[in-house]
Amino acid sequence: MPSPLRHAAVLAAGMLLTGTFNTLLTKHQDQQCVGNCDDPDPSKRELFEQPVWQTLTMFYGEMLCLACLYVAGLFQRSASSPAADGYQPIPDAESNADIADDVPTTDALPVVAPVSDESSVKPLTGWATLYMWLPATCDLLGTTLMNVGLFFTTASVYQMLRGAVVVFSGLFSVLFLGHRLERFQVVSLAMVVVGVTIVGLSNIISPPVDPSRSDTAMTEHDVFKATLGVVLVLGAQIFTATQFVVEEKIIRNFHLTPLRAVGLEGSFGAATVMAAIPILHVTIGRSHPGSYFDAPAGFQQIVQNPSVWQTSIYIMISIALFNYFGLSVTRYLSATSRATIDTCRTLFIW
């Protein structure tokens, strides 16, 4: 396998592995008991249901990439320091070209639709870094909706419904990036639509029943929760697809490494969530104690339950790696390819 293809395969495998762990860890955290855990009736136990705090955890994980970038910069400056005798060879342009050809990096220009004029690729600095706030906002909305939707469905169905992101990514890529879809790609997207429709309808017709209930008969409330879960997860894919397309647009027009892109998204997203938490608590949380927007209750549930905060640490690590691999795939291939690879997580989660 040629070196660039091998590198792309490693990125795809890393994205699948870390993405699978992230979904399973998030569902595991949702099932942690945080109240009335000693009650003999399982239906009266309170589980951890805090999508806003989970979204903030995700952005903190993405911010870890900035720390990694800073450490890598220190090592790079240390390695490139002048020798003790003051002599430092200056590589010529030809040797630099050979190195660029032999060593694939995620900083290289994308394989698909490369920029023809290198002078037009400028670094993302100054006020231009605020462009990353748009994909961060899409990530915030999409992740929060999916976290809520995961409360009302199983991890396997949740992941299959996320396959709809391929459809939206393909559509948005054509509309906003000027990509062309071949006939076989259109047929594939149509098959995805059929598959997602079947999964969504099957989850509504035969919704999952809470095993803690003594009565396992299906009720109208179960149908409502299953329908709500499907709608939330599918709606979130619109924001996720928008995020992928905007990221590809930015990466195509600016010199931006995936590590720095993930870190910037995490910083902007975390700042947005931290600003929104007190506002949501004052406007909604106070009048609905114990709800998704009750900030003190959510914070206490995290710090007072080791299983919750320990899982949060694992989620931060997995999401940092997942987004790094994902943005690297976007840079090497495209947003649609990233969405397609992400959909393959279903096989591992099942």
Side-chain angles (χ1 to χ4, degrees):
M1 183 184 295
S3 184
L5 292 180
R6 186 186 302 113
H7 189 64
V10 170
L11 293 175
M15 180 180 168
L16 283 173
L17 185 62
T18 55
T20 299
F21 277 124
N22 182 256
T23 298
L24 295 178
L25 285 170
T26 303
K27 186 61 179 180
H28 174 71
Q29 190 178 56
D30 293 341
Q31 296 173 338
Q32 298 304 303
C33 181
V34 293
N36 300 324
C37 299
D38 296 329
D39 196 306
D41 185 359
S43 63
K44 295 181 180 180
R45 297 173 186 172
E46 183 181 357
L47 302 181
F48 181 75
E49 296 182 347
Q50 296 292 337
V52 177
W53 286 102
Q54 287 178 320
T55 301
L56 183 60
T57 299
M58 178 199 70
F59 284 126
Y60 280 154
E62 293 179 2
M63 288 176 63
L64 291 176
C65 291
L66 283 183
C68 295
L69 186 65
Y70 177 75
V71 173
L74 290 179
F75 278 108
Q76 186 177 12
R77 284 192 294 271
S78 176
S80 61
S81 59
D85 58 0
Y87 172 74
Q88 185 176 14
I90 301 176
D92 56 278
E94 183 177 352
S95 63
N96 280 339
D98 293 339
I99 294 174
D101 290 338
D102 295 338
V103 182
T105 74
T106 53
D107 298 342
L109 290 177
V111 174
V112 177
V115 179
S116 57
D117 184 7
E118 293 187 5
S119 63
S120 64
V121 181
K122 50 188 178 296
L124 189 70
T125 57
W127 289 103
T129 57
L130 294 178
Y131 287 144
M132 296 304 297
W133 211 311
L134 181 56
T137 302
C138 293
D139 197 5
L140 188 160
L141 296 173
T143 301
T144 303
L145 289 176
M146 284 189 287
N147 285 338
V148 177
L150 187 56
F151 296 152
F152 306 122
T153 186
T154 61
S156 55
V157 172
Y158 160 86
Q159 189 57 49
M160 285 190 291
L161 292 174
R162 290 192 63 179
V165 71
V166 180
V167 179
F168 294 118
S169 295
L171 177 62
F172 294 165
S173 294
V174 172
L175 293 177
F176 304 113
L177 298 178
H179 290 184
R180 291 181 54 189
L181 296 180
E182 301 295 338
R183 182 176 300 176
F184 74 91
Q185 293 174 318
V186 176
V187 173
S188 299
L189 292 180
M191 294 174 65
V192 171
V193 171
V194 173
V196 170
T197 302
I198 293 175
V199 171
L201 290 176
S202 65
N203 192 64
I204 294 173
I205 296 173
S206 181
V209 179
D210 188 353
S212 63
R213 285 186 356 213
S214 57
D215 181 14
T216 58
M218 183 178 63
T219 64
E220 291 185 1
H221 184 61
D222 293 327
V223 175
F224 172 76
K225 290 198 300 182
T227 304
L228 180 61
V230 170
V231 171
L232 289 174
V233 175
L234 289 179
Q237 305 320 303
I238 298 177
F239 295 107
T240 303
T242 303
Q243 174 196 346
F244 289 173
V245 171
V246 172
E247 287 172 344
E248 180 177 347
K249 184 72 172 179
I250 294 174
I251 289 177
R252 293 289 189 260
N253 290 279
F254 292 93
H255 178 72
L256 181 66
T257 63
L259 204 61
R260 182 165 178 257
V262 175
L264 288 175
E265 277 192 29
S267 301
F268 291 139
T272 303
V273 175
M274 287 189 294
I277 284 178
I279 298 175
L280 292 173
H281 174 69
V282 171
T283 57
I284 304 176
R286 282 184 176 179
S287 57
H288 297 80
S291 66
Y292 299 156
F293 306 111
D294 188 349
F299 182 76
Q300 290 176 2
Q301 290 177 2
I302 295 175
V303 298
Q304 293 178 359
N305 294 275
S307 60
V308 175
W309 63 258
Q310 289 172 3
T311 306
S312 295
I313 295 176
Y314 300 141
I315 290 175
M316 284 192 288
I317 297 173
S318 66
I319 201 66
L321 294 172
F322 172 68
N323 279 279
Y324 167 75
F325 285 124
L327 273 172
S328 299
V329 169
T330 298
R331 190 169 186 82
Y332 264 88
L333 303 174
S334 66
T336 306
S337 299
R338 176 183 177 183
T340 304
I341 295 171
D342 186 37
T343 305
C344 296
R345 271 196 281 170
T346 305
L347 298 175
F348 296 92
I349 293 174
W350 267 89

